[in-house]
Amino acid sequence: PFAEDGIEGLTNFDTPEDQFFTKELMQMALDHFGPGDLEVLLGVRDRIVEAESMGLSYDAYLKRLHRKRWSFKSILKQAGYID
């Protein structure tokens, strides 16, 4: 989905502020997770397919993704999005 529509293709905006924050958050997520993992988290790519494309077992991929999700929470805290 990123190659076709970019981040804008995955979001809806009600106000200019919504557009700004949504684009900022999506870019932060893309920078942290990369396109493949982000597509998995958004439900547009299968976990098994992504694990195989990386040469990882399914369990190893899930552990890796779990660690990345936890580290992203720190990024969101530093940016002031969560407490």
Side-chain angles (χ1 to χ4, degrees), residues 28-29 32-34 37-43 47 58 61-77 82:
M28 289 170 63
H32 182 74
F33 291 106
D37 287 340
L38 188 55
E39 288 176 358
V40 167
L41 292 170
L42 293 173
R47 292 175 180 175
Y58 182 70
Y61 176 72
L62 291 182
K63 289 176 185 176
R64 178 186 166 279
L65 188 59
H66 182 72
R67 285 191 300 267
K68 287 180 98 172
R69 285 177 34 217
W70 274 104
S71 66
F72 190 60
K73 286 182 180 183
S74 296
I75 291 170
L76 292 176
K77 284 180 183 179
I82 60 175

Side-chain angles (χ1 to χ4, degrees), residues 7-48:
I7 291 171
E8 291 80 8
L10 299 173
T11 56
N12 294 318
F13 312 116
D14 293 327
T15 67
E17 291 82 10
D18 290 342
Q19 180 180 12
F20 173 80
F21 290 120
T22 301
K23 288 177 75 173
E24 182 179 64
L25 282 169
M26 288 299 295
Q27 190 61 54
M28 289 170 63
L30 182 59
D31 291 346
H32 182 74
F33 291 106
D37 287 340
L38 188 55
E39 288 176 358
V40 167
L41 292 170
L42 293 173
V44 296
R45 185 168 170 91
D46 186 72
R47 292 175 180 175
I48 295 171

